[in-house]
Amino acid sequence: MIKKLSRSVREYKKDAILTPFFMIGEVSCECIIPLITAELINTINRGDGLNEIVKDGVLLVAMAFLSLFFGAMAGKTCASASAGFAKNLRQDLFYSIQNFSFANIDKFNTSSLVTRLTTDVNNVQNAFMMLIRTAVRAPLMLVFATIMSVVVGKQLAWIFAALVPFIAIGLYLIARIAMPRFKAVFRKYDNLNASVQENIKGMRVVKSFVREDYEEKKFAKASEELKKDFTFVERVIALSTPIMQISMYTSMLSISFFCAKIVINSVGSTLDVGTLSSMITYSMQILMSLMMLSMILVMLTMAVASAKRIEEVLDEKSDITDPENPVTKVPNGNVDFDNVSFKYSAAAERNSLENINLHIKSGQTVGIIGGTGSGKSSLIQLISRLYDTTEGTVSVGGIDVKKYGIVPLRDAVSVVLQKNVLFSGTIKENLRWGDPNASDEEIERICNLSQASEFIERFPDKYDTYIEQGGANVSGGQKQRLCIARALLKKPKILILDDSTSAVDTHTDALIRKAFREEIPNTTKIIIAQRISSVQDADKIIVMDKGEIAAQGTHEELLESCDIYKEVYYSQNRAGDENE
């Protein structure tokens, strides 16, 4: 895990390496300062001349400035290394997620991924910062100060030897109790983020059903559970402070008592006042180092739980990758399904698609209808390899889709998904997702095809109108037409509309289909729809039922031969007659 995460240091490796060296310099100076201070005190006590006092004083000031320099440089390089490491780690996580297939994404919920990119990365960043700075300073200070205290006051070394086991056992027990709770805390962070995300995304529904109180209680419950776990963990961790305080004051009192006794009994011959002063300073340094180590232990306990969650995402490999020698050009829009079966998970009890055989010629318009859960969306997602087949093959242009590079295949297949979204930015910026180099004239022409230009022209800023995140400031029908225009700008060989005209009126729907026939006759058009009117003039209509093709043919053929199609057609026509 450490090796995997350390790859994200990259260009900040120099700063990460320099920081410990600067810390060594700072600790060395801080450990020498008490010796110089002791010598200065002894010089004054002996009544030596001013020259000796000034000499020791200048040396003390120089050492203090040198310690300050090393500390400042360590702070600078540490900040650069830790912030850079966090930036790279977030990028690595984000890039890893971008490469996921839909199957990979299904393993992680959105709120969990957000927590890992934010809270978990922050925890690991803080731990990294402590590892290259505090975790170097504290042990070095502990070792140096212990050695110096033994050299200066050999008789009193037993005080530290007695306290260290007490501190070590206490910190070990704290870490052992806190670690399991930290793991639970981050899972509850996911639940809290999920509650926030779901509520904000569905705010209109919440308000329309007057469910604010219910959502507030649900959020309060998730927040309360998180608070309880954090409170418990904080209480356990807080025990480290009294342990360190007890140790610190015990050592100071013991050293003061025994040192004073030795000074008085020996009349300064065995232990002088300067040595007493340095011993107290070293005891403070030792105990402060131990306190720092306890903080490091706490931070690492939290960071290990976060690092494991980050590692899960980095270890997740996309199950859809380019072949060794990928085909880079799609010759035409032919689509063939040969004995295709598919299920979303290996653990699923039944297939979502079963024994699909379907052949679509380039330039044809094909309609797909069927009830909810009949497998319509599953079928079309196999064409652009959003998922891979479980059995059988899907071919585009006469070539198995698994032999194509993912980029050229998806460039040739435009999919307007059922839940397509717009991103924050202008209308032009959103449309140029389809073609970054599209001219203004080309954008306007495509918007005429998708029937989007009629409402765009009514906006004060027209094509420079700003779209809020998710397309919140446009209607469902407007959003769908913009998404269709975006897909058309790719100039695809295959255009797939997954129920993407459901929010537009029948007249606009008819105009869009008419524009497709006239303007893109060579593009294969696959239209999933709930309305028979949206597909009845298609060259072929596929009727899906329970993951299988129940029937296929033209509108007239299906009215004669397919009971499912007839039932849907007559029920929709009766509904239309009643509305009239």
Side-chain angles (χ1 to χ4, degrees):
M1 181 177 67
I2 293 173
K3 184 178 179 181
K4 186 177 274 83
L5 296 184
S6 64
R7 293 173 190 160
S8 297
V9 178
R10 293 198 286 278
E11 69 268 30
Y12 300 97
K13 190 178 292 183
K14 179 182 175 183
D15 286 337
I17 293 171
L18 283 175
T19 301
F21 281 104
F22 285 129
M23 291 312 306
I24 292 171
E26 184 184 25
V27 170
S28 300
C29 292
E30 287 189 13
C31 286
I32 293 170
I33 285 173
L35 282 180
I36 300 172
T37 305
E39 182 59 32
L40 181 60
I41 292 170
N42 291 333
T43 300
I44 294 171
N45 283 339
R46 288 193 304 267
D48 292 346
L50 185 60
N51 288 340
E52 291 299 321
I53 295 173
V54 170
K55 180 181 175 183
D56 289 338
V58 169
L59 186 59
L60 185 62
V61 171
M63 199 58 65
F65 273 107
L66 193 59
S67 175
L68 179 64
F69 169 77
F70 283 130
M73 291 302 296
K76 179 182 177 183
T77 54
C78 180
S80 174
S82 59
F85 165 70
K87 179 203 73 173
N88 287 343
L89 187 56
R90 284 193 191 94
Q91 286 179 346
D92 292 343
L93 277 169
F94 188 76
Y95 296 160
S96 182
I97 293 167
Q98 290 294 303
N99 289 326
F100 283 177
S101 67
F102 277 22
N104 297 124
I105 292 172
D106 291 343
K107 294 181 182 179
F108 303 94
N109 62 51
T110 306
S111 60
S112 177
L113 291 173
V114 170
T115 304
R116 293 169 205 241
L117 276 161
T118 52
T119 304
D120 288 328
V121 170
N122 285 339
N123 288 337
V124 172
Q125 177 187 357
N126 290 335
F128 178 74
M129 181 170 59
M130 296 188 82
L131 281 172
I132 63 174
R133 189 177 184 187
T134 312
V136 174
R137 174 189 172 84
L140 282 175
M141 180 64 79
L142 179 63
V143 172
F144 285 5
T146 302
I147 291 171
M148 296 302 290
S149 65
V150 171
V151 170
V152 172
K154 303 178 181 65
Q155 308 98 313
L156 304 174
W158 61 270
I159 296 173
F160 303 117
L163 289 173
V164 169
F166 169 73
I167 296 169
I169 292 170
L171 295 180
Y172 169 75
L173 291 174
I174 289 171
R176 188 169 182 179
I177 295 169
M179 177 66 86
R181 285 301 183 103
F182 272 127
K183 293 178 181 177
V185 161
F186 292 122
R187 285 195 295 270
K188 289 180 180 179
Y189 254 129
D190 293 344
N191 295 336
L192 190 68
N193 282 342
S195 177
V196 173
Q197 181 189 15
E198 186 178 51
N199 185 269
I200 292 173
K201 192 173 181 180
M203 185 61 71
R204 288 175 174 81
V205 178
V206 172
K207 289 189 177 297
S208 64
F209 281 88
V210 197
R211 297 286 283 177
E212 290 92 341
D213 289 344
Y214 171 79
E215 288 296 321
E216 285 172 9
K217 288 176 183 176
K218 187 171 76 171
F219 179 83
K221 182 182 177 182
S223 184
E224 180 65 23
E225 288 179 358
L226 185 62
K227 186 210 80 171
K228 285 179 180 177
D229 274 355
F230 253 123
T231 302
F232 176 82
V233 172
E234 290 293 342
R235 282 175 178 169
V236 172
I237 290 172
L239 293 174
S240 64
T241 301
I243 289 172
M244 298 309 302
Q245 294 285 358
I246 289 170
S247 302
M248 182 182 297
Y249 292 124
T250 300
S251 68
M252 287 179 64
L253 288 171
S254 299
I255 288 170
S256 298
F257 175 77
F258 288 109
C259 278
K261 190 173 181 181
I262 293 170
V263 169
I264 293 168
N265 291 339
S266 65
V267 196
S269 61
T270 305
L271 195 69
D272 52 39
V273 177
T275 303
L276 172 60
S277 171
S278 63
M279 279 297 294
I280 293 173
T281 304
Y282 285 131
S283 69
M284 290 292 293
Q285 289 178 341
I286 289 169
L287 292 167
M288 288 303 295
S289 299
L290 289 171
M291 188 172 285
M292 286 182 190
L293 287 173
S294 71
M295 291 170 56
I296 293 166
L297 183 64
V298 169
M299 191 65 243
L300 287 179
T301 302
M302 186 187 299
V304 165
S306 291
K308 286 179 179 177
R309 286 160 51 84
I310 291 171
E311 187 185 25
E312 286 176 7
V313 178
L314 295 176
D315 280 345
E316 185 71 21
K317 301 300 179 187
S318 177
D319 54 4
I320 295 179
T321 56
D322 283 347
E324 190 171 336
N325 295 302
V327 177
T328 58
K329 187 175 181 181
V330 178
N332 55 57
N334 290 338
V335 178
D336 298 287
F337 286 74
D338 294 304
N339 301 314
V340 169
S341 294
F342 168 71
K343 56 184 175 181
Y344 285 95
S345 164
E349 294 181 1
R350 59 182 293 272
N351 289 331
S352 298
L353 297 173
E354 189 74 47
N355 195 31
I356 302 296
N357 286 282
L358 175 63
H359 304 284
I360 302 170
K361 293 180 180 178
S362 184
Q364 279 190 323
T365 299
V366 175
I368 303 177
I369 68 162
T372 302
S374 60
K376 306 184 299 294
S377 295
S378 300
L379 183 76
I380 59 97
Q381 288 181 125
L382 299 177
I383 297 173
S384 56
R385 286 195 79 194
L386 297 178
Y387 290 95
D388 269 341
T389 61
T390 305
E391 297 175 16
T393 59
V394 177
S395 300
V396 170
I399 301 170
D400 187 344
V401 292
K402 294 179 182 178
K403 295 181 179 178
Y404 284 107
I406 292 173
V407 172
L409 174 65
R410 291 179 182 169
D411 273 342
V413 182
S414 271
V415 185
V416 185
L417 292 170
Q418 195 171 8
K419 295 181 180 179
N420 250 309
V421 297
L422 297 172
F423 295 87
S424 52
T426 65
I427 289 176
K428 279 182 185 177
E429 288 169 348
N430 270 277
L431 295 179
R432 284 188 172 128
W433 275 57
D435 180 3
N437 301 314
S439 64
D440 290 352
E441 292 75 18
E442 178 69 3
I443 288 173
E444 291 177 20
R445 189 183 74 81
I446 291 297
C447 285
N448 283 329
L449 289 182
S450 67
Q451 304 304 307
S453 58
E454 59 94 10
F455 70 82
I456 293 173
E457 293 295 337
R458 293 201 300 268
F459 291 140
D461 295 325
K462 296 184 169 49
Y463 289 87
D464 291 316
T465 299
Y466 190 83
I467 300 293
E468 301 293 341
Q469 185 179 18
N473 59 333
V474 292
S475 70
Q478 290 171 340
K479 187 190 296 185
Q480 286 186 338
R481 281 177 277 176
L482 288 171
C483 288
I484 291 171
R486 183 174 63 187
L488 287 172
L489 274 172
K490 287 178 70 176
K491 302 177 180 63
K493 290 187 167 60
I494 301 169
L495 175 65
I496 300 172
L497 305 180
D498 185 359
D499 205 17
S500 49
T501 57
S502 57
V504 302
D505 60 84
T506 53
H507 175 66
T508 303
D509 188 14
L511 290 175
I512 292 172
R513 285 183 282 112
K514 180 175 181 290
F516 286 172
R517 285 195 303 272
E518 294 174 356
E519 299 291 336
I520 49 172
N522 297 322
T523 298
T524 302
K525 297 162 284 289
I526 301 175
I527 304 171
I528 295 176
Q530 299 294 334
R531 295 188 297 233
I532 295 288
S533 60
S534 296
V535 298
Q536 68 180 47
D537 58 351
D539 299 311
K540 183 190 296 185
I541 300 171
I542 312 298
V543 181
M544 298 291 298
D545 184 43
K546 297 177 181 178
E548 299 181 351
I549 294 179
Q552 54 181 303
T554 63
H555 173 67
E556 291 76 16
E557 291 169 346
L558 291 173
L559 279 177
E560 293 179 3
S561 62
C562 180
D563 291 337
I564 297 173
Y565 190 82
K566 279 192 289 187
E567 182 181 347
V568 175
Y569 176 73
Y570 287 120
S571 66
Q572 289 182 0
N573 280 349
R574 280 198 299 274
D577 294 339
E578 289 171 5
N579 289 334
E580 290 174 5

